[in-house]
Amino acid sequence: MNLKATSRKNAIHIMVAYTGGCNGCDIEIVNAVLSPRYDVEQYRVLLTWNPREADVLIVSGVVTWQMVEPLKKIYESIPEPKGVVAVGACAVNGNVYKNLVGDIGQNEEIWAPVETVIPVDVKVPGCAPRPEDVITGVVKALPKILEAP
Amino acid sequence: MASGEKRVEIEKELSFGPVHPALIEPYRIRLFVNDEIVEDCELNINMAYRGIEKLFDGLPVERALLIAERVCGICSHVHAWNAVRVIEGGLSIVVPPRANYIRVLTNEMQRITSHLILFGHAFEVVGHETFAMRSFLLRESFMDLISYVGGNRVMPSVPIIGGVRPRADLTESLKRVILERVDEFEEKYKGYVTRIIEDPLVMSRLTGIGFLTKEDAVRFYATGPTGRASGWDYDVRTKMDEYKPFEFNVITDESCDTKARIVVRALEIFESLKIIRQVVKSLPEGPVVNQSWKAEEMDFTTAYLEAYRGELMHSYALDSHGRIRNYKIRTPTPTNLAAMEHACVGDHVTEAILTIASCDPCLTCCTRAEVVDSGRSRILSDFEIVQKYGWRK
Amino acid sequence: MDNLLFFPLLLIISSVVAAAVAILYSLVLPGIERKVQARIQQRIGPPILTPGFWSVLKFGYKRRIEPTAQIPGLYKSLVYFGVGIIVLIFLFSTPYWWAVLGWGSVLGIAGLLKLEEVLYVLMGSQSQSFLSAGMPVPDLAKGSKHVGIRREFVEQHSAERALKMMAIGSLPFYIALLVPFAMAKSGMISSVVAMQNPAYMLTSEWWSVPLPSNPVIFTLPGIIAALVYFVGYVMLLNEKPFSILKAKIDLIEGGVLEYASKLRAYYYLMRNMLMFALSSIFVTLFIGIPFDPFMPLMMLLNIALSLILPVMLATLVAFSPILTFRQIYPAAIGLSAFGILALVISLGV
């Protein structure tokens, strides 16, 4: 393996963008990062809040109207190569907010899934996914980043 | 500045969010500052608007519980519980006492995890990573217990109409595990709280900022720990039938500052542990669910519950087909928001964000559109908004 | 050193060796720092090379992206200046530079450090990340209580805080820096080292390890000054508890927010190098073991002792919250008082 791929494999910066879910996934992601029980840092994954520094963007939540532009902007601000992980049922298919609606027939307040806004590489289903699943999702996004020029 | 005259000139505005390390959910803080001192604060919370209340309209009441639970991921149990309490109150469905005990148990377990999230978040905001991580580590033991009871760490889905899910019934071995874990947790947690209180640097950050007097707390209706930290001993649990068999204290603090809000929550966890022990030790035998009910027409019914952040209201009516009409949720945060905006005035920018965090905002719960018109504010229904402005497409 | 003909050549070789060793070594330090913190927090933590070495390499391989800044050219050049200044600070503390035009003196170090602090003000005023005021969300309401108020980027706010830190926060550091010079009654690093380690000035064999006979740190003013130096070190590095100018919870990262890909690699280099340079200067001035590229064992000793400050820093970071100016002003004034006390004692001695 060449130096480029090795360096990319050994330092992965993740950024979390929450786009209006119910908070459950956000907390589980933060859990995966912060809780000493899961501790992603031992897998060479570091948390950042600055899109300029990030490699992998973790998106959670249904994308509400007001979050569409910020999400696009965050995605654009990440330098190539980059990967996107959609975490949670909301980000993957809209969950109950999209699929369980009453008389109004269609929920026009949300843009879920995230795929309609930015390209998604890995989907982590679950409501809410366990921290282990989140870590697995980040690892699955790696091959694309490693192989990029 | 002239004596007694309030300074109104504002130098600049700092705005953070919706994606920012200090916010664990999408909202926007606008701070109006002079030099470094916050003169006014505006919280924009409509980034999380998902139109939840409208989704309920026309759904069969059993299915609506799925959405009700997903109103908030931190307090999922309270929302599910309160949603079933509405119909149980309205149609006089008898809930077996064992089911009530298990609901209380889950509620108190999730209250502990919720308060520990606050500690984790607040210490992250204070900048003390070690305490934040300790808090998340302590939280794991109760996340495990919740998943043992309900099968999921975040969405345990314990209550159903007329009782609890049979899966959530407590077995003898689970009871033993809960008691063991609670003892283990209490010991570690005591050490944790002692270390926080004895840390002079952390305490110097927390004390003396973010004052919210009792009058203001009552005026803004800042319920829950936020109000109790201002000396207002308002707790819906004391009025609820479900909590009658249990003995616990309502924790209040008179010092009204950010430290008080942290301390009140820290002490509430001990009360929750007390309730959990009582539940497990005196759990009555019997069925856990009463299925002899039928959804029929129900008048507009309201139920109040002490959520982890304050008073929670759910109310809806059922039409003749047993479908939900006019679901209304009022979460504790909208009233606490006003208190937050008020409390952080006069502090340093970094401290203002800590004050907001210490009020434990949970904005995903419910956001509404509001039209402010020459001083009078009026809440529009979704229908009115659509009629007036159309979809925002 | 007596041969003036070979001096420029030796200077260049020693500089290249010193800079290369220092840069490589400084890339390990953040990993050690992070590991110590992680162990305190009861978790495993990242591998030693990840936060420093591999991160820098990875950012180097990222695609270039234009920063959003008022003058992008200036903003981009600032980070090169930063690396240059800090490498120079470090080189001035190595023996071959002591003789050059008086740069190897308290003035050379303090002056360049002040320049480095100014860089944060410039970076803050230039950078315009969209994470604060530029976020594309509808948040301005016509009926708001405050309309038409100047919106500021968090980086600009960071620049204001950097000014305050320059004025007050870094004062203790400079006072503590003066103490060894005051004890040697000279402004030159060479006389400070000569006072503590006379054997070093006399030896010329490359394998020998002349140990200091009377290090400054074992005297009363020396130990006070060393403690003040440590706190000043934390302040200059903008680490917790004095990280107010890039407090994560309101300013995210401050003025360096917009550095991406290669520029961010340089920023990492700059920060890590500063961490090592100040630590190495501490060992030179307070213990009397200079970083001499032509005496490898001496150099290794300096490198090993340079671990003291970063490890202490990591412990402090793990156990302390961010302090606001409410606490920083009294702390800085109190520390300056201690520094002046040490200065007075050392002048009296």
Side-chain angles (χ1 to χ4, degrees), chain A residues 106-124:
Chain A
Q106 190 190 357
N107 189 356
E108 310 249 359
E109 296 288 346
I110 58 175
W111 267 64
V114 173
E115 269 177 310
T116 53
V117 185
I118 54 172
V120 172
D121 301 315
V122 182
K123 294 171 186 167
V124 182

Side-chain angles (χ1 to χ4, degrees), chain A residues 15-28 30-31 33-38 49 62 64-67 70 74 95-104 106-110 127-131, chain B residues 18-21 23-26 46-52 54-59 63 66-67 70-74 117 124 133-134 136-137 139-141 143-144 152-155 325 362 364 391-393:
Chain A
M15 179 180 176
V16 185
Y18 23 69
T19 58
C22 74
N23 254 358
C25 302
D26 307 340
I27 301 283
E28 292 296 90
V30 171
N31 232 328
V33 176
L34 280 182
S35 163
R37 188 195 276 189
Y38 301 103
W49 289 98
V62 302
T64 56
W65 279 102
Q66 301 210 355
M67 289 307 293
I74 288 171
N95 206 2
V96 291
Y97 311 113
K98 184 136 186 128
N99 304 318
L100 190 65
V101 286
D103 287 349
I104 53 170
Q106 190 190 357
N107 189 356
E108 310 249 359
E109 296 288 346
I110 58 175
C127 182
R130 292 166 300 160
Chain B
V19 177
H20 190 271
L23 323 173
I24 44 174
E25 51 207 320
N46 39 357
M47 280 97 205
Y49 184 70
R50 288 159 293 168
I52 283 189
K54 201 71 188 163
L55 295 184
F56 285 107
D57 237 22
L59 278 180
R63 298 187 72 189
L66 278 174
I67 304 182
R70 279 158 183 82
V71 169
C72 176
I74 307 176
I117 285 180
E124 191 74 356
M133 294 208 173
R134 284 288 294 171
F136 277 108
L137 184 60
R139 183 172 171 266
E140 283 303 317
S141 58
M143 292 305 277
D144 282 353
N152 189 321
R153 286 160 54 90
V154 180
M155 304 282 169
R325 293 293 163 208
C362 179
T364 58
W391 289 112
R392 264 173 287 163
K393 235 168 197 176

Side-chain angles (χ1 to χ4, degrees), chain C residues 217-234:
Chain C
I217 197 167
F218 292 139
T219 60
L220 176 66
I223 189 79
I224 299 175
L227 287 175
V228 177
Y229 187 100
F230 169 61
V231 184
Y233 174 71
V234 182

Side-chain angles (χ1 to χ4, degrees), chain C residues 148-289:
Chain C
I149 289 173
R150 184 165 61 89
R151 313 190 85 186
E152 212 177 57
F153 289 91
V154 284
E155 294 94 323
Q156 290 167 354
H157 199 69
S158 161
E160 285 171 27
R161 287 186 182 173
L163 266 179
K164 287 179 191 169
M165 286 301 281
M166 262 175 76
I168 286 251
S170 53
L171 191 62
F173 180 86
Y174 294 107
I175 294 175
L177 190 66
L178 275 179
V179 170
F181 293 98
M183 287 174 84
K185 307 258 185 320
S186 159
M188 306 306 287
I189 297 177
S190 55
S191 43
V192 175
V193 175
M195 176 188 71
Q196 301 173 62
N197 199 349
Y200 169 74
M201 303 307 273
L202 300 176
T203 40
S204 51
E205 292 93 5
W206 65 271
W207 64 85
S208 63
V209 189
L211 289 177
S213 50
N214 49 346
V216 169
I217 197 167
F218 292 139
T219 60
L220 176 66
I223 189 79
I224 299 175
L227 287 175
V228 177
Y229 187 100
F230 169 61
V231 184
Y233 174 71
V234 182
M235 284 175 171
L236 272 185
L237 278 175
N238 302 316
E239 274 291 348
K240 274 188 281 186
F242 301 106
S243 66
I244 186 86
L245 79 87
K246 51 175 193 181
K248 198 177 93 183
I249 55 123
D250 51 0
L251 305 185
I252 311 175
E253 276 180 351
V256 299
L257 259 175
E258 276 297 309
Y259 286 127
S261 53
K262 284 196 181 57
L263 294 173
R264 184 156 283 272
Y266 283 117
Y267 163 65
Y268 267 52
L269 265 185
M270 168 184 156
R271 199 188 155 281
N272 301 341
M273 190 62 198
L274 182 64
M275 192 193 271
F276 174 67
L278 292 182
S279 192
S280 173
I281 289 172
F282 174 80
V283 177
T284 309
L285 292 182
F286 284 78
I287 305 179
I289 300 174

Side-chain angles (χ1 to χ4, degrees), chain B residues 54 103 137 153 164 168 173 176 194 283 305 318 369:
Chain B
K54 201 71 188 163
R103 289 176 182 183
L137 184 60
R153 286 160 54 90
V164 299
S173 58
R176 209 169 48 243
T194 323
L283 187 69
L305 183 68
L318 294 183

